[in-house]
Amino acid sequence: MIYPKIPLAQTVIQLCKAKGIKHIVISPGSRNAPLTIGFSNDNFFKSYSIVDERCAAFFALGIAQQLQEPTAVVCTSGSALLNYYPALAEAFYSGIPLVVISADRPKHLIGVGDGQTINQPNVFENHILYSANLKLDLKEAETETQEELPIFKSLENKVETLIGLKQSIQEFNESEINKAINISIQKSGPVHLNVPFDEPLYEYVEKLSVQPEIVPAKEKSLAIEASILNKCIDDWNTAKRKMILVGVKHPNTLEQQWLDVLAKDDSVLVFTETTSNIHHEAFFPSIDKIIASLDNDGFENLQPDILLTFGGLIVSKKIKAFLRTYQPKQHWHIDVQKANDTFFCLNRFVETTPNYFLSKLLTQTHPVSSNYRLHWETVKQVRHQKHNTYLNQIKFTDLKAFDSILNAIPNHSILQLGNSSTVRYAQLFNISNTLEVYCNRGTSGIDGSTSTAIGCSVATDKQTTLITGDLSFLYDSNALWNNHIPKSFRIIVINNQGGGIFRILPGHKNTENFDTYFETNHHLTAEYLCKMFGLGYLTASNETELTNELQSFFSEGNQPKLLEVFTPKNLNDEVLLNYFKFIK
């Protein structure tokens, strides 16, 4: 096996290997050549080559999102690194372990007009868990270009000092790399290793010259302070209205036994978002369908005494508006890392896992007599019936298309959702409990949905389907410039010729200003992108065509497939807004 000659590159690669970072997404470049040589020539790593750094970072995010373990992205120096920022911000807010490794030029070449250089240290300062700014390996041959060298009085003194400096720099780099990767593992988030290399960059050796010290990551204690737990138990046993709201959650992370206990308590109302991946017949999915048409009396009847939240960010703007106006007496959040005061009334943050908290709480509490859940169960049934009635009488629009598509997604597969209107339409439907659902809700951006979904698809044996809007798809079209897309991967693009969500929001519609600067009107399609990148291309413009195409769309084939569904942009918003009036 061959290794890069540069000791710092060897150190980075060996410590990534020791900490189980198997997936390495590399964007071609020259300054990162030592890292590329090391990662791509070691069979422990699965290396991917993706040219566009923004797509590469979201691709790596999709892998890390699926595996729940650190994934690395490697780039050359200069502006290449800045293209990682959108995905890194998503990782920061979604709690996804992403390890950014950027090659850099030596310090003496920065700020002097040398090519492909920017100020890389701490460039992600506001959206990073840790930045490790590593030091350049020391060479005896060219001491005039090295950093922080002392004045030597003798040759003997010079040799001893250089040896000491080399050891000191190596120890510093090992410590920083260990610390950064351990933080990514422990806190589940992004970190940055900035790695300066001097030329020559392409030399390699057959034996390692360094053996870095491996510092293992420490496991966080799940224990809850007795005083906090006892107070939770007392309050839980006396509250007649307890609402549980679950945000983004990885599938199969909550134990079924605790879900079953919650389902039997009439004082507990469990609201689940599509991205929560939690299902029970006694719970309440499709939040907006339940609360969208409530009046003041309805909101007062729904207002909880205790709000218990866990999981990531909440999609529903309606539930956020409700809980900010009709605040609970107490809001508890359960998480090992952080608590967002989303509803401006957070008063208890329990730093542990939801499973551990529920195992301690529910074994020492009892069901409380209440009509809270039963009342809203009746509302849920009425809303569901009206939902079906409305769908049967409307014309072909976004809402009708989502009904057909979500019913056709194969069971036991993965569903990736784009942002904006896509994830919000999905929230209105009771999605199969066999599906695993993901969406980039950390920053809620449209910029990397396709790349993330492709990254997810290469990290699993399950079929992955992405549903996305036209703007989101076109914005991330370089995601298809990727030689790693599985043949089973499927994309469904809802093309309503612009940013359809802006037609739902308040504003002046059907004006030149709105069409140009808000909705971003266009007449583009995915057809030629599919031809260029080798995807099968299908279209549907009405319910019959969509039903027919979906029958074969998910079948096996010799290439990935894309189905583009064209819907009438001037009718979509009217149908959706009337939907909420109808189900009231």
Side-chain angles (χ1 to χ4, degrees), residues 241-387:
R241 293 183 179 184
K242 298 181 281 277
M243 180 184 291
I244 297 177
L245 177 59
V246 189
V248 176
K249 199 75 180 154
H250 200 268
N252 305 313
T253 54
L254 281 177
E255 295 179 16
Q256 188 63 40
Q257 60 175 320
W258 308 126
L259 302 181
D260 292 338
V261 171
L262 292 170
K264 294 176 182 177
D265 191 335
D266 288 339
S267 67
V268 175
L269 197 64
V270 181
F271 275 129
T272 62
E273 295 221 302
T274 300
T275 53
S276 72
N277 289 293
I278 292 176
H279 305 275
H280 197 288
E281 60 181 9
F283 294 170
F284 291 74
S286 305
I287 298 173
D288 288 359
K289 191 162 61 180
I290 303 293
I291 72 170
S293 303
L294 296 180
D295 54 19
N296 288 338
D297 289 341
F299 285 130
E300 289 176 359
N301 288 330
L302 185 60
Q303 185 178 17
D305 299 321
I306 295 174
L307 172 67
L308 172 63
T309 58
F310 44 83
L313 300 182
I314 301 298
V315 175
S316 173
K317 294 179 69 174
K318 292 179 171 59
I319 195 72
K320 283 187 279 192
F322 159 63
L323 289 169
R324 288 170 180 174
T325 304
Y326 297 85
Q327 293 181 334
K329 296 175 183 176
Q330 299 187 55
H331 174 201
W332 311 345
H333 187 74
I334 317 301
D335 192 83
V336 293
Q337 302 299 345
K338 61 183 177 182
N340 293 311
D341 191 9
T342 303
F343 314 108
F344 313 133
C345 56
L346 180 71
N347 63 341
R348 193 169 296 167
F349 172 34
V350 185
E351 294 184 67
T352 190
T353 66
N355 269 330
Y356 187 83
F357 176 77
L358 293 176
S359 72
K360 297 298 181 183
L361 177 76
L362 298 181
T363 53
Q364 300 182 65
T365 55
H366 53 76
V368 176
S369 178
S370 172
N371 66 352
Y372 188 48
R373 183 176 64 85
L374 297 177
H375 169 77
W376 290 102
E377 181 67 37
T378 301
V379 174
K380 180 175 77 170
Q381 296 301 328
V382 171
R383 295 280 196 271
H384 181 65
Q385 292 170 3
K386 290 193 172 183
H387 170 93

Side-chain angles (χ1 to χ4, degrees), residues 92 94-96 129 182-189 218 220 333-340 349-354:
F92 181 76
S94 287
I96 295 175
L129 296 182
N182 285 349
I183 287 174
S184 184
I185 294 170
Q186 293 164 340
K187 296 188 176 182
S188 191
K218 296 179 180 179
K220 184 179 178 66
H333 187 74
I334 317 301
D335 192 83
V336 293
Q337 302 299 345
K338 61 183 177 182
N340 293 311
F349 172 34
V350 185
E351 294 184 67
T352 190
T353 66

Side-chain angles (χ1 to χ4, degrees), residues 177-201:
I177 297 167
N178 271 295
K179 184 176 181 179
I181 298 176
N182 285 349
I183 287 174
S184 184
I185 294 170
Q186 293 164 340
K187 296 188 176 182
S188 191
V191 296
H192 176 205
L193 306 179
N194 193 56
V195 193
F197 293 130
D198 206 353
E199 297 181 8
L201 302 169

Side-chain angles (χ1 to χ4, degrees), residues 30 43 60-61 97 131 138 182 213 223 231 251 302 459 491 507 509 540 550:
S30 181
N43 290 333
L61 182 90
S131 293
L138 191 63
N182 285 349
E213 179 185 4
K231 189 67 170 68
L302 185 60
I491 303 175
K509 305 167 189 176
L550 285 171

Side-chain angles (χ1 to χ4, degrees), residues 21-35:
I21 301 178
K22 298 178 182 178
H23 296 270
I24 312 294
V25 183
I26 302 170
S27 291
S30 181
R31 189 61 52 169
N32 58 336
L35 296 169

Side-chain angles (χ1 to χ4, degrees), residues 289 380-394 399-400 403 407 428-430 579 582-583:
K289 191 162 61 180
K380 180 175 77 170
Q381 296 301 328
V382 171
R383 295 280 196 271
H384 181 65
Q385 292 170 3
K386 290 193 172 183
H387 170 93
N388 291 334
T389 300
Y390 187 77
L391 284 172
N392 288 331
Q393 67 185 39
I394 61 174
L399 188 64
K400 191 81 167 180
D403 182 44
N407 283 322
L428 300 176
F429 296 86
N430 295 344
Y579 167 83
F582 184 87
I583 65 173

Side-chain angles (χ1 to χ4, degrees), residues 46 48 130 174 203 219 227 249 257 385 430 445 524:
K46 172 62 177 174
Y48 309 85
Y130 191 75
E174 289 178 15
E203 293 183 337
E219 292 188 7
S227 59
K249 199 75 180 154
Q257 60 175 320
Q385 292 170 3
N430 295 344
L524 303 174

